[in-house]
Amino acid sequence: MISQLGTSGNQTLTESLVKAIQRYDGRLVSIMEVCGTHTMAISRYGIRELLPPNVRLVSGPGCPVCVTPSFYLKSALELCRREDTILATFGDMMRIPYKGVSLLTEKAMGRDIRMVYSPLDSLDIARQHPDKTVIFLSVGFETTVPVTAITVLEAAQQGLDNFMILSANKTIPAAMHLLSSDPEVAVDGFLYPGHVSAVIGSSFYEELAKAYGIPGAITGFDPADILGSILYVLEQIRDNKATVANLYSMVVQPGGNPIARGKMDEVFEPSDAVWRGLGQIPGSGLRLREKYRSFDAWGLINGSVEERDEEAGGCRCGDILKGKCLPSDCKLFGKACTPETPIGSCMVSSEGTCAAYYRYQ
Ligand code: SF4
């Protein structure tokens, strides 16, 4: 049955997968979907409601905006208030609240903050405004970092000295090690992120599963893909095995995408990084290499913002990102905190768990 997966729109297959999952009668298990896009798809298709009560799906830290610590936003707010600066950012970052303000409220007050769809758009802005410093808020995982790397390479090649990035980029492997080894997380299986895996490859997960004895599946985003991966993980748990299935093999190769990784490695080097909910994870961040340090906007912050992550009062984003609770466990969910009045980043981002629950459940 598993080998049939990867097709979409096959209702018979989907129904048979649901029936097979509902036959699971083992112990209570928690399966973590690591990727924010999976969280959205699971909520959109109502997959949680199809599972038996002894199978629990919890969300992980796979939404880059959600895991960005508050001091990053504080730094971005500081930068946008500089007279000579234009901030360029993806839309999600605009709405994250920090102590009653956000980049959106700053924009309304006249700060020059522009929404872009690609980091490369920031280069156009920099070329059009040679008298300003254009800073791109670079927040992403392996899926988006290669394009940011290409942007920096292009800026260097064109001699654009008024372009910078503020990097909160992160890589998934170190976070997966932490999640797999943390007794507080207590996950029995993983649904691995499809897009990130296309870059880092499937081999990493095989080593991870072997090291920690936790099974997993790399999967796409259709209902049949997701259901198939859940069934695979349940079969592994039932049989006391911990292997990894690549159910997204059309996109994910064992070695990933070496060209994309090559671009990342050329521009960035590993650094320690603070993740909301997970704390500081050694080697899980990406900072610009010495050769490209002139593009690093952290130099403008120069230690004036303390590297501390503060959660808004009552917000449980940190626990949600660790799979320790669900949005419905937060007292503010759907009351004080909604997509229109978000309190935490998990309600802001289009890949945030709270936003997904609010929208679809
Ligand atoms: Fe934070 Fe809002 Fe989610 Fe509660 S519902 S955890 S306040 S984002």
Side-chain angles (χ1 to χ4, degrees):
M1 185 178 292
I2 297 296
S3 61
Q4 297 175 46
L5 293 171
T7 56
S8 60
N10 185 335
Q11 194 160 353
T12 313
L13 172 62
T14 306
E15 281 171 8
S16 63
L17 286 166
V18 171
K19 280 184 191 149
I21 289 170
Q22 287 175 341
R23 281 197 291 272
Y24 173 77
D25 59 359
R27 65 182 171 87
L28 175 68
V29 291
S30 290
I31 301 173
M32 176 179 278
E33 86 268 1
V34 178
C35 162
T37 315
H38 280 146
T39 302
M40 266 296 166
I42 286 164
S43 295
R44 184 184 310 129
Y45 299 124
I47 288 176
R48 272 190 192 83
E49 287 70 29
L50 299 172
L51 304 179
N54 50 348
V55 178
R56 198 167 164 256
L57 278 185
V58 294
S59 302
C63 153
V65 169
C66 303
V67 295
T68 298
S70 62
F71 72 80
Y72 182 86
L73 194 67
K74 192 176 175 193
S75 305
L77 287 164
E78 198 162 289
L79 289 173
C80 84
R81 290 169 190 151
R82 292 163 56 106
E83 283 298 318
D84 65 342
T85 297
I86 299 174
L87 225 56
T89 177
F90 295 141
D92 282 0
M93 286 299 296
M94 299 274 275
R95 296 181 56 242
I96 298 183
Y98 178 78
K99 297 193 174 173
V101 292
S102 67
L103 292 172
L104 204 60
T105 58
E106 291 292 314
K107 187 175 167 64
M109 285 167 62
R111 316 285 183 204
D112 200 342
I113 303 169
R114 307 196 186 183
M115 207 173 90
V116 292
Y117 294 98
S118 159
L120 288 160
D121 297 342
S122 325
L123 296 188
D124 293 334
I125 302 171
R127 274 188 291 267
Q128 288 155 12
H129 298 275
D131 53 327
K132 301 266 184 174
T133 301
V134 176
I135 301 173
F136 173 65
L137 299 184
S138 185
V139 172
F141 292 139
E142 288 90 338
T143 35
T144 52
V145 176
V147 182
T148 307
I150 289 168
T151 306
V152 172
L153 289 171
E154 223 173 290
Q157 200 190 15
Q158 293 172 17
L160 267 181
D161 57 6
N162 65 329
F163 169 75
M164 301 178 111
I165 68 165
L166 189 71
S167 173
N169 293 316
K170 295 179 175 61
T171 51
I172 284 288
M176 290 306 305
H177 279 288
L178 186 128
L179 289 168
S180 302
S181 59
D182 187 342
E184 268 189 36
V185 176
V187 165
D188 302 288
F190 287 111
L191 308 187
Y192 297 122
H195 297 140
V196 165
S197 305
V199 177
I200 68 173
S202 58
S203 302
F204 162 74
Y205 301 110
E206 282 152 23
E207 288 158 27
L208 190 83
K210 217 179 277 173
Y212 300 100
I214 302 175
I218 302 164
T219 187
F221 303 93
D222 286 333
D225 294 336
I226 295 169
L227 289 165
S229 62
I230 294 169
L231 179 59
Y232 179 83
V233 170
L234 289 175
E235 287 172 348
Q236 292 283 301
I237 294 169
R238 182 199 61 201
D239 299 342
N240 245 334
K241 290 183 185 163
T243 57
V244 174
N246 182 0
L247 305 177
Y248 203 34
S249 56
M250 268 187 332
V251 174
V252 179
Q253 304 299 315
N257 183 337
I259 297 171
R261 284 204 310 278
K263 292 291 176 202
M264 279 170 60
D265 289 348
E266 190 177 344
V267 173
F268 293 100
E269 62 186 9
S271 62
D272 297 347
V274 178
W275 297 55
R276 172 161 294 172
L278 306 187
Q280 174 142 327
I281 308 180
S284 67
L286 291 169
R287 70 168 175 207
L288 287 164
R289 288 190 183 277
E290 186 63 44
K291 186 177 174 189
Y292 300 103
R293 214 47 76 70
S294 62
F295 296 102
D296 193 346
W298 284 114
L300 303 176
I301 296 293
N302 205 13
S304 63
V305 175
E306 196 188 340
E307 289 198 8
R308 200 156 60 92
D309 189 33
E310 300 165 272
E311 204 131 61
C315 176
R316 299 195 65 190
C317 268
D319 287 340
I320 288 168
L321 293 164
K322 252 179 147 179
K324 283 167 68 180
C325 74
L326 299 174
S328 48
D329 296 320
C330 173
K331 288 191 182 120
L332 306 176
F333 176 75
K335 297 181 184 108
C337 185
T338 69
E340 286 71 42
T341 55
I343 288 176
S345 51
C346 299
M347 187 59 97
V348 174
S349 170
S350 56
E351 295 191 339
T353 306
C354 297
Y357 270 70
Y358 186 88
R359 188 159 170 202
Y360 296 109
Q361 292 172 321

